[in-house]
Structure formats: C-alpha cells, structure tokens
Amino acid sequence: MLLRRLPSTAVSLATAALSRRSTSYLLSSQRRLQSFNSISFYPTLSFRSFCSTSEISPEFTDLITYQPSKRGPLKPGLYLVGTPIGNLEDITLRALRVLKSADVILSEDTRHSGKLLHYYNIKTPLLSYHKYNESQREHKVLKRLKQGEIVALISDAGMPGISDPGTELAKICVDENIPVIPIPGPSAFLTALSASGLSTDEFTFVGFLPKHAGSRKERLIASASETTTQIFYVPPHKLGQFLEESSLIFGDSRQCVIARELTKIHEEFWRGTLGTAKEAFSTRQPKGEITLLIEGNSNSSVETPSESQLENDLRELISNGHSLSSSNWWPKEHR
C-alpha cells in the first residue's frame, strides 16, 4: 500500500530504501517487474512534440502497449487511429496497441509518422497513403483487408478522414462489408473549441475553405448567417486573406478566437474581434497550424444587405461563372 501512495517518480527510490532496511525485501528481477505491473500508474513521459528525436524506453513501451486486456486479439479490419496533434503524450493506450498489432500502417507522410512510431518503439511497416495516391492504393489495401489483415490508417495529426485522407477508403470498406473500427484520439477543432470561450452548445465545423474565390465567399456568407459557432482550419500563410474576407462578411465586431500550435510548446489562443484581428495580424504572420473560431450570429434575422452590396456580390458571382437559375446562394427574399 505504501508503494501505491507514492508518486510514480518516487517508486524506484522507495523500493531501494525498503531493500536496504531488510534483506527480506530483496526481489529477483522477475518479481520486481511483476510488482511494477501491479502498481496502477503510467510511466512518466517527458513533453515531446513530433519534431522530437528522443526514444522512449522499450520496457516502458511494453508496459504501455500490453496492459492486461479482456478484449483479446484484434479482429481483422480497417482501424482509423487518432494520433497526437503535437504533443506525443496525447495518444491512447488502445491506439498504441492497435499500431503495434497491425499488419501495416497507412500513413499520410511516412517520414512524419515514423517519428511517432520510433518514439514508441513500434516496428509495424508503413505504407504511404495520401490524397495523391489513395485511388491507386485502394485495390492493394482492399486485397489485404479481404485476406484478413489488420490495417491501421493514420494521418499526420488528429483523426483520419477529418480534413485528411481516409473518407473514401472507409466508404469502400463499408460497401464491401469490411469492418471499420474507429480508435478515438485528438482533434484540433474540438481542442480549440473546448478552450475558446465561445458557445459549445452547437457549432459548425467548416474545415478548410475552397481555393476558388467565389466558392469561398459563398461559404463565408452561409456561415455568417448561422447562429452556431463557426470553426475553420486556416493555413498560416492565408490568415491575412481569411481575416480580410471574413471581416467584410461577418462584420468587424464579430468575436473570434485564433488557436495555433495546439498542445505544443508555443500554443497560443488569441481572442478579440475580427476587426482587431485583421489589424493585429496585418504585419504578423504566425507559424504553425491554425484553428479559427467565429461566434455565431446573435441576431435572429439576417441583416439585409444594401442594394449596392447586392449588386457587387451579384456581379462578382456571375463573373466567376455562377448562374442565377441554377444557384441557391441567393436569399429567397431577394430573388
């Protein structure tokens, strides 16, 4: 009981002290290992990010990965495994067990994911799987799945299929009656939302905006009218463009939160209005992945735009190839 009350970092010291007090406390190496397994604590891991080159002790990896489980061996199928979005400590024991037990790991970037596997001493082979080759990989992956293999799919960070490759493969597996098993893990937009201070009752995850200016504006116009918190992924080099366009549509006074480098050493939450953000970041380009949240529209009705604004919006959309007869972007009250 004494050992259970001590912090994990002091267990080895306490064991040594008790051993010196009486020779009856001397244990063989096998019994010491069993004693460690019986103590309900997890090994203390240092703060690491994906750029770390350090390696965790293989002995600790075994303790993490192979905790006693009543679930038995993994069944064949496609496992969508959530991985850390920055801090390597943010991975679940179940995810580690799946990655170590899989026959192959499909990875968005094998070099990037290799750091995670190296850190946890996982030797499972990696196979590249990203948006540029997923159509070519599907046949090979399906063949392995139909042969009864365990295939794990990971992205560079977060959950596969959420603004990352994986959706199409999951759809195909469902159509082929191949089990698709989610292994929950970190998510950048949920992490940002939880600490944003904005409403979490209802929210809309938009993700990355379209590259086409007209389509991008349509999406922002739709988001501006919604009463729920709007969540976007914004590349750091496009933050200025996003703030310029969104402030014109949402209004300068709408509250926003800019979350970047989540779970990493330089994690930052910037809070203020879109107008203030536009000024603050006009001469500053932040580094790292950005999740940007905008508060929902507090007005019960959508503000009616001026005639000149409508004409300008109409002219721009038509110039971008949109048709009034085939588009539903135009509000019914103004058709």
Side-chain angles (χ1 to χ4, degrees):
M1 293 302 293
L2 177 61
L3 289 179
R4 291 180 182 272
R5 294 175 185 172
L6 291 173
S8 60
T9 54
V11 170
S12 59
L13 295 176
T15 304
L18 289 172
S19 298
R20 287 194 299 268
R21 185 175 300 176
S22 173
T23 55
S24 63
Y25 285 98
L26 291 175
L27 301 172
S28 66
S29 42
Q30 180 178 3
R31 291 182 61 192
R32 281 200 302 270
L33 180 58
Q34 292 172 348
S35 176
F36 267 86
N37 283 331
S38 68
I39 300 173
S40 56
F41 73 93
Y42 299 133
T44 302
L45 304 179
S46 59
F47 185 95
R48 302 292 183 195
S49 66
F50 268 99
C51 61
S52 171
T53 57
S54 300
E55 182 178 357
I56 190 170
S57 168
E59 290 81 5
F60 281 157
T61 305
D62 292 338
L63 288 175
I64 294 172
T65 310
Y66 291 109
Q67 291 292 325
S69 173
K70 297 180 181 179
R71 304 192 66 178
L74 299 177
K75 64 180 180 180
L78 176 66
Y79 288 76
L80 307 178
V81 183
T83 53
I85 58 176
N87 188 331
L88 290 183
E89 292 182 33
D90 296 333
I91 191 166
T92 67
L93 302 181
R94 187 180 176 206
L96 290 173
R97 185 166 75 98
V98 169
L99 293 178
K100 195 157 191 176
S101 303
D103 295 295
V104 66
I105 299 173
L106 305 181
S107 168
E108 189 176 1
D109 184 338
T110 56
R111 292 171 299 179
H112 180 84
S113 300
K115 297 175 183 177
L116 173 68
L117 301 190
H118 177 74
Y119 185 74
Y120 284 105
N121 196 35
I122 295 173
K123 307 298 184 182
T124 307
L126 286 167
L127 180 65
S128 65
Y129 185 87
H130 45 74
K131 64 180 180 180
Y132 300 109
N133 73 353
E134 57 183 339
S135 59
Q136 291 84 6
R137 291 283 195 218
E138 285 171 0
H139 177 73
K140 183 176 181 179
V141 173
L142 279 176
K143 183 179 179 181
R144 299 184 69 159
L145 286 165
K146 289 179 179 179
Q147 290 174 346
E149 291 194 7
I150 298 170
V151 176
L153 172 62
I154 61 177
S155 65
D156 285 349
M159 286 299 297
I162 308 300
S163 293
D164 275 321
T167 303
E168 292 304 318
L169 183 58
K171 286 181 181 179
I172 293 173
C173 288
V174 170
D175 292 339
E176 296 285 339
N177 292 319
I178 296 172
V180 178
I181 304 98
I183 308 298
S187 170
F189 81 85
L190 289 176
T191 301
L193 176 64
S194 66
S196 66
L198 301 179
S199 174
T200 60
D201 293 336
E202 291 184 272
F203 58 88
T204 300
F205 172 65
V206 180
F208 292 102
L209 287 175
K211 293 181 179 180
H212 189 271
S215 301
R216 191 165 62 246
K217 188 170 185 179
E218 283 185 57
R219 177 63 255 188
L220 288 174
I221 290 173
S223 290
S225 64
E226 295 190 27
T227 58
T228 61
T229 301
Q230 302 294 296
I231 309 174
F232 304 87
Y233 285 160
V234 183
H237 64 281
K238 291 188 176 181
L239 179 60
Q241 178 192 69
F242 180 93
L243 293 173
E244 189 72 34
E245 295 177 349
S246 60
S247 62
L248 288 174
I249 296 172
F250 285 80
D252 284 342
S253 61
R254 193 80 71 94
Q255 291 291 320
C256 72
V257 176
I258 300 173
R260 71 176 192 90
E261 294 288 83
L262 292 172
T263 77
K264 300 180 183 178
I265 295 175
H266 300 293
E267 177 181 283
E268 176 187 17
F269 282 85
W270 187 98
R271 298 175 175 86
T273 64
L274 283 171
T276 306
K278 184 173 61 175
E279 294 179 6
F281 291 94
S282 61
T283 57
R284 170 195 169 196
Q285 180 177 313
K287 297 179 180 179
E289 301 297 325
I290 293 174
T291 303
L292 199 149
L293 306 91
I294 303 178
E295 71 171 341
N297 190 348
S298 58
N299 298 325
S300 57
S301 60
V302 180
E303 182 180 350
T304 303
S306 64
E307 290 187 8
S308 60
Q309 183 180 350
L310 290 174
E311 291 176 0
N312 290 334
D313 291 343
L314 177 59
R315 190 178 299 108
E316 181 176 342
L317 289 169
I318 292 176
S319 66
N320 288 324
H322 292 274
S323 169
L324 288 177
S325 60
S326 61
S327 298
N328 61 2
W329 61 271
W330 194 252
K332 291 182 178 180
E333 61 268 26
H334 299 301
R335 290 181 184 175

